[in-house]
Amino acid sequence: MKKSALQRVRAEYQPKLPKALQGPVKLNIGEATESVADQEEIKKLFPHTYGLPIVQFETAEAAERVEEPFNVGIILSGGQAPGGHNVVSGIFDGIKSLNKECRLYGFLMGPSGFINHQYMELTAGYIKDFRNTGGFDIIGSGRTKLETPEQFESGLKILKELNIKALVIIGGDDSNTNAAVLAEYYKNINAGVQVIGVPKTIDGDLKNKWIETSFGFDTACKVYSEVIGNIQRDCNSAKKYYHFIKLMGRSASHIALECALETQPNVCLISEEVLAKRMTLDNIVNYLCYVIAERAKLGWNFGTVLVPEGLIEFIPSMKDLISELNDVLAANGAALEGLTEDEKLEKIHSMLTPVNADLYKSLPKTIALQLSLDRDSHGNVQVSLIETESLLSQMVAKRLEEMAEQGQYSGKFAAQHHFFGYEGRCADPTNFDADYTYALGYNAAMLINSGLTGYMSSVRNLTDTTENWIAGGIPITMMMNMERRHGHMKPVIQKALVNLNGRPYLKYASMRETLALNTLYQYPGPIQYFGPAEVCDRPSMTLLLEHDKEI
Amino acid sequence: MKKSALQRVRAEYQPKLPKALQGPVKLNIGEATESVADQEEIKKLFPHTYGLPIVQFETAEAAERVEEPFNVGIILSGGQAPGGHNVVSGIFDGIKSLNKECRLYGFLMGPSGFINHQYMELTAGYIKDFRNTGGFDIIGSGRTKLETPEQFESGLKILKELNIKALVIIGGDDSNTNAAVLAEYYKNINAGVQVIGVPKTIDGDLKNKWIETSFGFDTACKVYSEVIGNIQRDCNSAKKYYHFIKLMGRSASHIALECALETQPNVCLISEEVLAKRMTLDNIVNYLCYVIAERAKLGWNFGTVLVPEGLIEFIPSMKDLISELNDVLAANGAALEGLTEDEKLEKIHSMLTPVNADLYKSLPKTIALQLSLDRDSHGNVQVSLIETESLLSQMVAKRLEEMAEQGQYSGKFAAQHHFFGYEGRCADPTNFDADYTYALGYNAAMLINSGLTGYMSSVRNLTDTTENWIAGGIPITMMMNMERRHGHMKPVIQKALVNLNGRPYLKYASMRETLALNTLYQYPGPIQYFGPAEVCDRPSMTLLLEHDKEI
């Protein structure tokens, strides 16, 4: 593998560890815990792993336990996030610090490698090339869900074969939920295998008091903010386009919000707000047109709009339409066969209830077709394929024409579209994410050595210096509640949506009108690794605000 | 203007100057020049500015001329390129070094500001905020072509009113051609105004022996390479998609080639090669399918493909089709009114000559519609709107299905699409571009002080240390030849296409098969400003190879 100049230099970076993890540790055991909600149900479902205490590591004079060599297995689960390779490096260095004979195995391409016994040993020489780099290519990742007893049993075979004492699952809320189920399962059958979770997701929706942020969020947002800033410079130089920029984040708008705080666009839509205010597509289009018309009065026919990927599903009326479309199309697939696109649209329109029919008719044709024709294997609308950024700009253009006819608008409107996702998920981690993930991994090794299972690796106090970060573990069951999934009530980790009473949102909301009617773009520029700390080491603005710091 | 942390720190960066420009300069005058071709015609068209000598600056004991204070005007012309603000800063510092009383004026929003007398004075305090930043927002840019005597006369009025001695035009090949025409015009009427050009374009197609690279190319390619690298990490982690990545470069493929050298994708198409080999769309699709099928045999159903924006126009058969479509649609617009999309496609198909009709029929419907329906104000197909990346992936998918039926392919194919343009045009300049543009501007001030007109600012020897860069001026007429434009023969600066006998292309071609059938991605990472020189100061690989250096 030939490396770029930056890779070669960056390979030498030694991630910083919290003071508590810099030498031998001792374990402080806290109070027993309760789940965030539905305590009775969760307790019933997790008899062996419910109510465990929060634990925290402290520096010790000497190691509390000197462990026989043990082996650890790792699974990278779901979408990539910057820093995954440093979690692996951290675990490796952590277990080697305990005993040089410890071994680390990686299951290939996600949970399927675990179930199907595809794995490799991760040696010092192999890991070396991946330290401080982005991506999950060290062992690959996958989206297979690890949730059935058959899978658990199949996995157990290879764990036993490799003499693996603990399995670390690096994933988002669903993968960590499954880690908890697996921990309970193994505990129940006395399998002698611990399971530890590591909080990963660029979407930022796996967080709470003990998990202050999921890893990768910091880096991904900074990459997106870099290119958004570049686009804003262009926008403000050419002064002739509205750029509609869609950003990842289907279930929550943390990414869009963080990028808005970083770049100060003219508009940033927040899905959670749209839902809370029960806004319609019309409301959103009208707001955009208001901003555009007001800017036109100032002579500015340009601007930037950030759109979270999941917006459509947070608009109650669109959700109703999609739901009815799913039913109508499932029941009437045959009737649509052989029709032209126009005939299909007409036919579908005639089958919808009046309110949904009206909304359907108001959509641009390309979007109506995306909603009607592209189905997933379950026959459902593929919401992720809908070009929301284009939907909005087309509807805005149409509305502006009407406004112009009524003398309410006299500007020029032209749009450009962008969607950023893959650009940031595998970026080389920022210093923050490089340190955070290394600490999460190292800390996971210590949790394993302490004999714990069903815990998530927790590194906190993240807006302080790395030295002062707090390392420990949180029982996963503690973060759970019961939610309806595919028609059944299930125990799941509560997803963190954008809190409309939280400081990050309130900060943006307080600037919103000013940003809309002025041009106050910020240009964060590319992630830096070698410069002054204020440039290289600043955590996300979301985290700073959540910790009552100023930005 | 609230600044990001990086902006605040980066504002302090003092661009490096070549030794020759670090103090008083003296002018070395070289031999008289000839244009690169069509000498007689060019000479006739530029009687006052043809045959001028190449000039070069050297360090002097004391300034050769101590100048009365003079004023300079600046125009930013055409698309943005990283470093434009440092050209402005360099000119400012250059004229102030000659006489503190010199003044600098910026014409607003490109040539139209010059013609319509919209301008502002650029003061030290105003410029300060723009040093080392990307974008052209300091005075804005525009695409108005400066080419008629009426425009020249209108501009002259404001030049006289502001007592401007010299006009600096920062632009691409067309803008610099117009700068030469303007210089000749003013010289001919004894207007007493010099005109100096500065070579700008991220496309990299304004270059020759004396203009080693146009500014912005380095930065833009590094931003694109950063995100391409990130996508490649994702591609290699998830192992399930082919990413088709379109890059800027309508007239030449320098950007795609540079990014290919930086990131080592599986495939990079080069428009100039497609033209030289008279490749058809089918040839290209077949090559892509060959690579995909071979990779599938190795178990890899993923990969990356770089596509230059202008590809379509370099495919001879596509060019023929587009040309006939332009004629057919112009002549038969009325006959298509009121038809459905399908009827229109059918009708258009029936009006084409057989060869073009076959090609038209082979195109995916969405692309055929883009070719048939989206016309510019002259009624021509808007080639820039054609989603070439999607065209290719759709045709590849179809061909792979056929191959699968014939037992020649048994992989899985799924595509993702990206187009990078606005993401890089206004990025903060790399150290290379920051230094280069500052030197170009400073050097332009010295050319003005030497009384020259019709020259382009030239800073050469760019792969050596900045100290050893060579600064001087090149008569613009020297780079000209006669070309047909809009039906007339015109004197224009010869555009530099990718040279198929040049080292950059040959280097890529030598790796091509290896890159296609292996997975050897490189990940350049984000532009760095503060680290080791090998990371922060390396010029583009194209430039290194052109200077017989290794990469």
Side-chain angles (χ1 to χ4, degrees):
Chain A
M1 184 161 57
K2 194 179 152 198
K3 290 183 179 177
S4 72
L6 179 57
Q7 277 182 282
R8 287 193 298 272
V9 176
R10 187 69 180 155
E12 304 303 318
Y13 179 71
Q14 179 53 48
K16 300 186 278 292
L17 275 179
K19 209 184 306 165
L21 297 180
Q22 287 176 8
V25 300
K26 71 172 178 199
L27 188 71
N28 271 350
I29 297 177
E31 300 282 306
T33 58
E34 295 268 14
S35 63
V36 288
D38 310 312
Q39 290 81 5
E40 282 313 305
E41 289 100 317
I42 308 279
K43 188 173 182 175
K44 218 175 291 171
L45 289 163
F46 295 89
H48 303 85
T49 52
Y50 186 86
L52 297 171
I54 291 178
V55 300
Q56 191 171 316
F57 291 113
E58 280 186 19
T59 311
E61 289 297 308
E64 282 191 324
R65 314 164 50 149
V66 177
E67 192 56 66
E68 289 298 296
F70 59 87
N71 298 342
V72 171
I74 300 185
I75 297 173
L76 292 170
S77 180
Q80 283 78 255
H85 290 164
N86 269 21
V87 176
V88 176
S89 312
I91 296 173
F92 182 84
D93 292 353
I95 61 175
K96 290 289 184 183
S97 80
L98 294 164
N99 190 317
K100 288 265 174 262
E101 301 302 314
C102 291
R103 288 170 184 270
L104 186 62
Y105 293 93
F107 292 101
L108 304 180
M109 303 311 295
S112 66
F114 174 65
I115 299 162
N116 303 323
H117 302 188
Q118 290 158 328
Y119 65 90
M120 68 182 291
E121 187 181 346
L122 299 169
T123 60
Y126 182 73
I127 289 177
K128 188 170 174 287
D129 276 341
F130 294 92
R131 287 178 187 263
N132 306 311
T133 63
F136 279 7
D137 44 316
I138 189 167
I139 45 173
S141 179
R143 294 192 180 274
T144 302
K145 290 200 186 308
L146 188 60
E147 47 192 4
T148 71
E150 293 72 30
Q151 294 171 330
F152 300 166
E153 289 292 341
S154 172
L156 187 55
K157 278 200 196 112
I158 187 67
L159 294 176
K160 288 297 167 194
E161 193 179 314
L162 297 172
N163 194 26
I164 287 175
K165 167 195 166 88
L167 183 67
V168 180
I169 296 179
I170 301 164
D173 50 346
D174 282 345
S175 302
N176 274 288
T177 292
N178 294 339
V181 175
L182 184 63
E184 175 66 28
Y185 184 90
Y186 285 162
K187 187 89 181 173
N188 185 48
I189 63 170
N190 270 316
V193 176
Q194 302 159 239
V195 183
I196 300 292
V198 176
K200 170 228 72 173
T201 165
I202 65 162
D203 290 349
D205 53 6
L206 169 51
K207 67 175 170 184
N208 48 52
K209 191 175 153 193
W210 310 277
I211 304 298
E212 296 179 353
T213 188
S214 52
F215 78 76
F217 175 75
D218 186 74
T219 306
C221 287
K222 283 175 180 159
V223 175
Y224 301 143
S225 294
E226 175 199 355
V227 288
I228 294 166
N230 289 353
I231 289 169
Q232 292 196 148
R233 266 287 184 198
D234 206 299
C235 179
N236 195 24
S237 299
K239 298 189 195 297
K240 60 180 176 180
Y241 291 117
Y242 272 88
H243 291 266
F244 286 74
I245 304 169
K246 188 166 73 174
L247 296 167
M248 282 213 143
R250 203 168 150 194
S251 336
S253 310
H254 299 288
I255 292 179
L257 178 56
E258 171 68 17
C259 291
L261 293 167
E262 292 269 1
T263 64
Q264 302 194 168
N266 299 112
V267 177
C268 174
L269 301 170
I270 303 292
S271 301
E272 289 84 344
E273 183 184 13
V274 166
L275 177 64
K277 297 186 176 167
R278 298 197 64 77
M279 291 172 77
T280 64
L281 192 52
D282 252 12
N283 294 152
I284 295 171
V285 169
N286 284 340
Y287 174 69
L288 289 170
C289 289
Y290 153 75
V291 172
I292 293 167
E294 287 299 310
R295 290 180 65 81
K297 284 181 201 161
L298 300 165
W300 296 332
N301 292 301
F302 64 92
T304 50
V305 180
L306 305 191
V307 184
E309 188 186 12
L311 182 71
I312 287 279
E313 293 173 283
F314 281 79
I315 301 172
S317 54
M318 284 297 293
K319 211 171 168 177
D320 292 347
L321 169 61
I322 289 168
S323 168
E324 190 179 4
L325 275 174
N326 282 339
D327 295 343
V328 161
L329 292 167
N332 300 279
L336 299 169
E337 291 281 326
L339 300 185
T340 66
E341 284 177 352
D342 290 330
E343 289 165 349
K344 270 183 199 161
L345 292 178
E346 195 56 44
K347 182 85 186 167
I348 293 169
H349 179 250
S350 73
M351 296 187 285
L352 294 170
T353 50
V355 172
N356 285 334
D358 283 353
L359 177 55
Y360 189 69
K361 191 130 204 162
S362 77
L363 299 174
K365 183 177 167 182
T366 47
I367 306 295
L369 284 171
Q370 283 170 14
L371 279 175
S372 320
L373 305 179
D374 294 332
R375 331 287 302 164
D376 67 15
S377 53
H378 304 100
N380 290 322
V381 169
Q382 290 191 272
V383 181
S384 66
L385 294 183
I386 295 172
E387 291 165 350
T388 318
E389 67 280 27
S390 166
L391 163 69
L392 290 175
S393 81
Q394 288 182 60
M395 294 189 74
V396 161
K398 200 173 148 203
R399 182 70 42 87
L400 288 173
E401 268 178 37
E402 293 163 12
M403 286 170 65
E405 278 166 24
Q406 293 157 13
Q408 295 163 356
Y409 171 68
S410 59
K412 280 184 197 171
F413 176 77
Q416 296 284 346
H417 306 101
H418 313 266
F419 174 32
F420 297 121
Y422 293 104
E423 291 76 4
R425 306 194 322 172
C426 283
D428 290 336
T430 54
N431 285 349
F432 174 85
D433 266 331
D435 293 348
Y436 180 43
T437 48
Y438 185 77
L440 283 171
Y442 203 98
N443 184 59
M446 298 305 130
L447 293 171
I448 293 167
N449 192 46
S450 301
L452 300 169
T453 190
Y455 274 75
M456 193 181 288
S457 178
S458 160
V459 175
R460 299 188 288 121
N461 199 29
L462 296 171
T463 56
D464 206 331
T465 58
T466 317
E467 283 268 304
N468 294 329
W469 289 358
I470 298 167
I474 309 295
I476 299 177
T477 51
M478 182 182 185
M479 299 175 240
M480 287 184 160
N481 66 356
M482 299 298 292
E483 289 180 22
R484 182 170 296 277
R485 297 282 170 94
H486 303 295
H488 300 283
M489 291 305 285
K490 291 211 165 176
V492 296
I493 295 176
Q494 211 173 36
K495 219 183 245 303
L497 303 190
V498 167
N499 176 2
L500 301 182
N501 295 312
R503 290 186 80 226
Y505 170 79
L506 292 175
K507 175 75 182 177
Y508 171 66
S510 75
M511 301 192 291
R512 177 153 51 186
E513 190 77 4
T514 309
L515 297 184
L517 305 184
N518 292 276
T519 301
L520 296 169
Y521 303 145
Q522 276 209 53
Y523 313 110
I527 290 167
Q528 297 296 303
Y529 298 110
F530 308 106
E534 65 195 280
V535 174
C536 299
D537 299 339
R538 179 179 57 76
S540 70
M541 294 199 171
T542 300
L543 198 56
L544 286 168
L545 289 166
E546 284 173 345
H547 285 201
D548 287 329
K549 307 257 159 99
E550 284 316 306
I551 57 170
Chain B
M1 186 160 57
K2 194 179 154 199
K3 291 182 178 178
S4 72
L6 179 58
Q7 278 182 281
R8 287 193 300 272
V9 175
R10 187 68 181 156
E12 304 303 318
Y13 179 72
Q14 179 54 49
K16 301 184 278 290
L17 273 179
K19 210 184 305 164
L21 297 180
Q22 287 176 8
V25 300
K26 71 174 178 195
L27 188 71
N28 272 350
I29 298 178
E31 300 282 307
T33 58
E34 295 268 13
S35 61
V36 287
D38 311 311
Q39 291 82 4
E40 282 313 304
E41 290 100 315
I42 307 280
K43 188 172 184 176
K44 218 175 287 169
L45 290 163
F46 295 89
H48 302 87
T49 51
Y50 187 86
L52 296 171
I54 290 177
V55 299
Q56 192 171 316
F57 292 113
E58 282 187 18
T59 312
E61 289 296 310
E64 282 189 325
R65 313 163 52 150
V66 177
E67 192 56 65
E68 291 297 297
F70 59 88
N71 298 341
V72 171
I74 299 184
I75 297 172
L76 292 170
S77 181
Q80 285 78 253
H85 290 163
N86 269 21
V87 177
V88 176
S89 311
I91 297 174
F92 182 85
D93 292 353
I95 62 175
K96 290 289 185 184
S97 80
L98 294 165
N99 190 317
K100 289 266 176 260
E101 301 302 313
C102 291
R103 285 169 185 272
L104 185 62
Y105 293 94
F107 293 101
L108 304 181
M109 302 311 294
S112 66
F114 174 65
I115 299 162
N116 303 322
H117 302 187
Q118 289 158 327
Y119 64 90
M120 69 182 292
E121 187 180 345
L122 298 169
T123 59
Y126 183 72
I127 289 177
K128 189 168 173 291
D129 276 340
F130 293 92
R131 288 179 187 262
N132 307 313
T133 64
F136 280 8
D137 45 316
I138 188 167
I139 47 175
S141 179
R143 295 193 179 271
T144 302
K145 291 200 183 311
L146 189 60
E147 49 191 3
T148 71
E150 294 71 30
Q151 293 172 330
F152 300 167
E153 289 292 339
S154 173
L156 187 55
K157 279 201 193 108
I158 188 68
L159 294 175
K160 288 297 166 193
E161 195 180 311
L162 297 173
N163 195 25
I164 287 175
K165 168 196 166 90
L167 183 67
V168 179
I169 296 178
I170 300 163
D173 52 345
D174 283 345
S175 302
N176 274 287
T177 291
N178 293 339
V181 175
L182 185 63
E184 176 67 27
Y185 184 91
Y186 284 163
K187 188 88 179 175
N188 184 47
I189 63 170
N190 268 316
V193 176
Q194 302 158 238
V195 182
I196 300 292
V198 176
K200 170 228 70 170
T201 166
I202 64 161
D203 291 349
D205 54 6
L206 170 50
K207 67 174 170 184
N208 49 52
K209 190 174 152 192
W210 310 277
I211 304 298
E212 296 179 353
T213 188
S214 52
F215 79 77
F217 174 74
D218 186 74
T219 307
C221 287
K222 283 175 181 159
V223 174
Y224 300 144
S225 296
E226 175 199 355
V227 288
I228 293 167
N230 290 353
I231 289 170
Q232 292 194 147
R233 267 283 185 199
D234 207 300
C235 180
N236 194 25
S237 299
K239 300 190 195 294
K240 61 180 177 180
Y241 291 117
Y242 273 87
H243 291 266
F244 286 74
I245 304 170
K246 189 166 75 174
L247 296 166
M248 281 212 141
R250 201 167 152 192
S251 332
S253 310
H254 299 289
I255 292 178
L257 177 56
E258 171 68 17
C259 291
L261 293 168
E262 293 268 1
T263 63
Q264 304 194 164
N266 299 112
V267 177
C268 175
L269 301 171
I270 303 292
S271 300
E272 289 84 345
E273 182 185 14
V274 166
L275 178 63
K277 296 185 177 168
R278 298 196 65 77
M279 290 171 80
T280 63
L281 193 51
D282 252 13
N283 295 151
I284 295 170
V285 170
N286 284 341
Y287 173 68
L288 290 170
C289 290
Y290 153 74
V291 172
I292 293 167
E294 288 298 311
R295 290 180 66 80
K297 286 182 200 161
L298 300 166
W300 296 332
N301 292 301
F302 64 91
T304 51
V305 180
L306 306 190
V307 183
E309 189 185 11
L311 181 72
I312 287 279
E313 292 174 282
F314 281 81
I315 300 172
S317 53
M318 283 297 292
K319 211 171 170 176
D320 292 346
L321 168 62
I322 290 169
S323 169
E324 191 179 6
L325 275 174
N326 282 339
D327 295 344
V328 162
L329 292 167
N332 300 281
L336 300 169
E337 292 281 326
L339 301 183
T340 67
E341 284 177 352
D342 290 332
E343 290 165 349
K344 269 182 199 162
L345 291 178
E346 196 55 44
K347 182 84 187 168
I348 292 169
H349 180 251
S350 73
M351 295 188 287
L352 293 170
T353 50
V355 172
N356 285 334
D358 284 353
L359 178 55
Y360 188 69
K361 192 130 204 161
S362 77
L363 299 174
K365 183 177 167 183
T366 48
I367 305 295
L369 284 171
Q370 283 172 13
L371 279 174
S372 321
L373 305 179
D374 293 333
R375 332 287 304 164
D376 68 14
S377 54
H378 303 100
N380 291 322
V381 168
Q382 290 191 273
V383 181
S384 65
L385 293 184
I386 295 172
E387 291 164 351
T388 318
E389 67 282 26
S390 167
L391 164 68
L392 290 176
S393 80
Q394 288 183 60
M395 294 188 75
V396 161
K398 201 174 148 200
R399 182 70 42 87
L400 288 173
E401 270 179 36
E402 293 162 12
M403 287 170 65
E405 279 166 23
Q406 294 156 13
Q408 295 164 355
Y409 169 70
S410 58
K412 280 184 197 171
F413 176 77
Q416 295 286 345
H417 305 102
H418 313 266
F419 174 33
F420 297 122
Y422 293 103
E423 290 76 3
R425 306 193 323 170
C426 284
D428 290 337
T430 54
N431 285 349
F432 174 86
D433 265 332
D435 293 348
Y436 181 44
T437 48
Y438 185 77
L440 283 171
Y442 203 96
N443 183 60
M446 298 304 131
L447 293 171
I448 293 166
N449 192 45
S450 302
L452 300 169
T453 190
Y455 275 75
M456 193 181 287
S457 178
S458 160
V459 175
R460 297 189 289 123
N461 199 30
L462 296 171
T463 56
D464 205 332
T465 58
T466 318
E467 283 267 303
N468 294 330
W469 288 359
I470 298 166
I474 309 296
I476 300 177
T477 52
M478 182 181 185
M479 298 175 242
M480 287 183 160
N481 66 357
M482 300 297 293
E483 289 181 22
R484 182 169 297 277
R485 297 282 171 95
H486 302 296
H488 300 282
M489 290 306 285
K490 290 211 165 177
V492 296
I493 295 175
Q494 213 173 34
K495 217 181 246 304
L497 303 189
V498 168
N499 176 3
L500 300 184
N501 296 311
R503 289 187 81 226
Y505 170 79
L506 293 175
K507 175 76 182 176
Y508 171 65
S510 75
M511 300 192 291
R512 177 154 49 189
E513 190 78 2
T514 309
L515 298 184
L517 305 185
N518 292 276
T519 301
L520 296 169
Y521 304 144
Q522 277 209 51
Y523 313 109
I527 290 168
Q528 297 296 304
Y529 298 111
F530 308 106
E534 65 195 281
V535 174
C536 299
D537 299 340
R538 179 178 58 76
S540 70
M541 295 200 171
T542 300
L543 198 56
L544 286 169
L545 288 166
E546 284 172 347
H547 284 202
D548 286 329
K549 307 255 160 99
E550 285 316 307
I551 57 171

